[in-house]
Amino acid sequence: MLIDTYGRVATDLRVSLTDRCNLRCSYCMPEEGLQWLAKPDLLTDDEIVRLVEVAVRSLGITEVRFTGGEPLLRPGLVGIVQRVAALPARPRMSLTTNGIGLKRTAEALKSAGLDRVNVSLDTLRPDVFKALTRRDRHADVLAGLDAARAAGLVPVKVNTVLMPGLNDDEAPDLLAWAVEEGYELRFIEQMPLDAQHGWKRDGMITAAEILASLQRHFTLTPEGERERGAAPAERWIVDGGPHRVGIIGSVTRPFCAACDRTRLTADGQVRTCLFATEETDLRGALRSGAEDEEIARIWRLAMWGKKAGSGLDDPSFLQPSRPMSAIGG
């Protein structure tokens, strides 16, 4: 079991497979100039599977989310999913992706054992997409969403970040589109995860502002804390159902008290929080010949030291030293 001093138990493991991405979203990374992790620093496929197996067999992990960077850029992704699906205590598996490569991989991932996907899409307008991501790939993301739904990677969840002056007027249109397409839309407050440290608290679109914008066009009924559990998103039933919309207010409505996550970076570090400034090295233990029991002990010790909160609700919060692409969303 992975338990901390506040009684929280981690059952959800986020695994970053790569720090690389084929988009350059303005709220995540600069257009150019990032120094990628060297290949020897990355966990190998075998090391990833072994650490996931330790987490599932010895530490109580029941859900695994593969992230990046962009996880579809990992050459061995399908094989990793297949091997994790074959574990005796098979965890539920999902993937967070920008969707660009899903058209060609969705069926293979489903066959390998992936359960569902989260796809990032911030706008319905191709020109705004290009401005936000610095790439002209909007049609590829839509095709990837179609492919994920057709392959049965459901529920397909769409993650959206609203940015002032770019797409902050699109919330109602995005929800109407998601309802029509059968996707579950989740708005996420912009978080301080950009490598260039350009985030400003007073410039972001808040959860309250998003909710107010949606309520001018839809009847939203709160789903309630019982249904929410440890999920980061507050959810509302749209126009009586069955569709739902979620809002993740990481900055203004932190959910740290119910957090059930532990994170593994692409280079084999344990992070107990996305915004942690400290990491615990598992790659070194792996490569020095540590037994599974020792790896589990190191992981438990890291979790025991998890802090009460992320610190995002503190106006003096300092951004983490590594960008999201190296940590895993």
Side-chain angles (χ1 to χ4, degrees):
M1 179 182 293
L2 286 172
I3 189 169
D4 65 26
T5 55
Y6 300 93
R8 295 170 297 192
V9 178
T11 57
D12 185 335
L13 170 61
R14 305 297 170 98
V15 182
S16 175
L17 299 180
T18 178
D19 60 329
R20 297 175 184 265
C21 189
N22 43 12
L23 296 179
R24 294 293 181 272
C25 297
S26 59
Y27 52 78
C28 181
M29 60 177 66
E31 187 169 5
E32 56 186 23
L34 270 181
Q35 184 173 351
W36 306 116
L37 291 169
K39 188 173 181 179
D41 294 334
L42 293 170
L43 292 175
T44 67
D45 293 1
D46 288 344
E47 288 170 337
I48 290 170
V49 173
R50 182 181 170 193
L51 289 175
V52 172
E53 183 175 7
V54 168
V56 170
R57 187 187 67 245
S58 302
L59 299 174
I61 292 298
T62 58
E63 294 194 27
V64 175
R65 171 86 61 86
F66 296 110
T67 70
E70 174 46 52
L72 294 181
L73 295 180
R74 177 87 185 203
L77 172 61
V78 173
I80 291 171
V81 170
Q82 190 170 40
R83 291 170 66 183
V84 172
L87 295 177
R90 179 198 188 285
R92 182 166 174 79
M93 286 183 291
S94 59
L95 179 82
T96 294
T97 172
N98 61 31
I100 288 175
L102 269 179
K103 183 176 179 179
R104 72 173 187 277
T105 57
E107 289 189 8
L109 287 167
K110 180 64 176 179
S111 296
L114 192 71
D115 294 299
R116 64 170 191 83
V117 293
N118 284 36
V119 179
S120 298
L121 180 65
D122 302 319
T123 178
L124 298 176
R125 305 192 294 248
D127 59 323
V128 176
F129 182 91
K130 187 174 181 179
L132 277 166
T133 68
R134 303 162 176 135
R135 299 291 186 272
D136 190 10
R137 305 297 298 273
H138 189 259
D140 295 320
V141 179
L142 294 180
L145 281 161
D146 287 342
R149 180 177 54 196
L153 293 169
V154 293
V156 176
K157 296 184 179 180
V158 176
N159 294 339
T160 295
V161 176
L162 297 180
M163 299 287 288
L166 285 171
N167 63 340
D168 52 345
D169 61 335
E170 283 197 72
D173 290 340
L174 281 159
L175 181 52
W177 165 80
V179 167
E180 182 178 351
E181 296 292 335
Y183 304 137
E184 183 175 323
L185 183 62
R186 305 194 313 171
F187 292 97
I188 304 174
E189 284 183 338
Q190 183 197 1
M191 295 178 283
L193 294 169
D194 54 319
Q196 63 271 35
H197 289 192
W199 177 83
K200 290 182 174 58
R201 181 183 299 269
D202 58 2
M204 67 175 214
I205 310 300
T206 67
E209 291 169 336
I210 296 168
L211 181 60
S213 174
L214 295 176
Q215 286 177 325
R216 287 193 286 270
H217 297 82
F218 303 91
T219 300
L220 301 182
T221 306
E223 192 175 58
E225 292 299 317
R226 180 176 297 180
E227 293 293 330
R228 181 182 183 183
E234 295 178 79
R235 297 204 308 177
W236 286 264
I237 300 168
V238 181
D239 291 340
H243 301 287
R244 286 165 170 76
V245 63
I247 301 177
I248 299 177
S250 300
V251 178
T252 63
R253 300 181 181 182
F255 42 87
C256 301
C259 181
D260 64 349
R261 299 177 185 181
T262 184
R263 298 175 182 274
L264 183 65
T265 68
D267 54 350
Q269 310 301 304
V270 168
R271 293 179 70 93
T272 57
C273 175
L274 185 60
F275 303 98
T277 56
E278 300 172 346
E279 299 176 334
T280 301
D281 182 24
L282 292 186
R283 184 189 63 198
L286 273 175
R287 295 181 180 178
S288 65
E291 299 291 336
D292 288 356
E293 292 76 10
E294 173 62 10
I295 293 170
R297 185 193 69 79
I298 295 171
W299 208 329
R300 289 191 190 97
L301 188 61
M303 184 66 184
W304 187 248
K306 183 172 182 173
K307 295 180 179 179
S310 65
L312 282 177
D313 52 347
D314 182 351
S316 64
F317 172 80
L318 297 176
Q319 291 168 283
S321 58
R322 297 218 279 173
M324 182 166 61
S325 62
I327 297 168

